[in-house]
Amino acid sequence: FKQKTAYEIRLSLVGSEMCIRDRSSNAFEVFIWTYFMTYIVNDSCIACKYTDCVEVCPVDCFYEGENMLVIHPDECIDCGVCEPECPADAIRPDTEPDMEKWVEFNRKYSEVWPVIITKKDPLPDAEEREGETGKLEKYFSENPGEGG
Ligand code: SF4
Ligand code: F3S
């Protein structure tokens, strides 16, 4: 079962569950269950924007707003490499409860903000704002970042 084929199927079936029967071998029938998921950035990123995450992403799917980043859910290949890189613990898998809102939030802004692949300095109040609650209501900006 070629990786390229799996990737192409993934692109067309993001968010769904499916079963693939591979009959390419006479000796075996291979059943593969795959749940397509993504990682997302939540409001813990807001007003911090450490950007450690962008350097490890193999598919460059982080997008930059004025004071947070988002992940494009259709581009993320679910490798999980970015999750432990975030000092603010803002990157979560969408398998956790009540993540639909954050998947759509990430999708919405990743389609209008520029891609970011290079780490830059965190926002000036990053350490002070880390762990604060209610950041979406208090600080979120829809404005794009500079990207880069
Ligand atoms: Fe990129 Fe992997 Fe993180 Fe998805 S899980 S955003 S592909 S590093
Ligand atoms: Fe935001 Fe964490 Fe990346 S704070 S910019 S998700 S490293």
Side-chain angles (χ1 to χ4, degrees), residues 54-74:
V54 304
E55 296 220 307
V56 299
C57 181
V59 293
D60 299 338
C61 65
F62 282 91
Y63 294 81
E64 185 183 11
E66 185 176 15
N67 63 8
M68 79 174 291
L69 302 191
V70 288
I71 291 169
H72 197 310
D74 297 346

Side-chain angles (χ1 to χ4, degrees), residues 39 56-59 61-62 71 75-83:
Y39 282 72
V56 299
C57 181
V59 293
C61 65
F62 282 91
I71 291 169
E75 295 175 0
C76 173
I77 59 168
D78 183 31
C79 69
V81 175
C82 57
E83 183 184 356

Side-chain angles (χ1 to χ4, degrees), residues 11-31:
L11 288 177
S12 64
L13 291 172
V14 167
S16 65
E17 192 176 77
M18 69 174 187
C19 175
I20 301 167
R21 176 176 290 189
D22 183 353
R23 293 182 181 276
S24 59
S25 161
N26 290 331
F28 301 102
E29 284 188 350
V30 181
F31 291 87

Side-chain angles (χ1 to χ4, degrees), residues 41-42 44-46 48-54 62 68-69 82 85-91:
V41 180
N42 66 24
S44 296
C45 178
I46 297 172
C48 291
K49 204 164 77 167
Y50 285 109
T51 71
D52 301 63
C53 52
V54 304
F62 282 91
M68 79 174 291
L69 302 191
C82 57
E85 297 298 318
C86 177
D89 199 24
I91 301 174

Side-chain angles (χ1 to χ4, degrees), residues 35-147:
Y35 180 68
F36 294 111
M37 52 175 280
T38 182
Y39 282 72
I40 56 86
V41 180
N42 66 24
D43 56 345
S44 296
C45 178
I46 297 172
C48 291
K49 204 164 77 167
Y50 285 109
T51 71
D52 301 63
C53 52
V54 304
E55 296 220 307
V56 299
C57 181
V59 293
D60 299 338
C61 65
F62 282 91
Y63 294 81
E64 185 183 11
E66 185 176 15
N67 63 8
M68 79 174 291
L69 302 191
V70 288
I71 291 169
H72 197 310
D74 297 346
E75 295 175 0
C76 173
I77 59 168
D78 183 31
C79 69
V81 175
C82 57
E83 183 184 356
E85 297 298 318
C86 177
D89 199 24
I91 301 174
R92 311 303 315 156
D94 74 343
T95 48
E96 293 183 352
D98 302 321
M99 279 292 166
E100 294 83 2
K101 165 192 161 186
W102 285 109
V103 172
E104 288 318 305
F105 182 98
N106 276 244
R107 185 189 307 283
K108 175 180 176 180
Y109 290 103
S110 63
E111 287 173 355
V112 291
W113 290 349
V115 71
I116 173 170
I117 60 172
T118 309
K119 179 174 165 53
K120 53 182 75 170
D121 288 341
L123 293 174
D125 297 332
E127 285 189 24
E128 191 183 329
R129 300 281 181 242
E130 198 176 317
E132 197 174 315
T133 57
K135 289 164 87 176
L136 186 64
E137 295 75 18
K138 286 190 275 188
Y139 308 122
F140 176 65
S141 164
E142 288 194 316
N143 296 331
E146 293 179 348

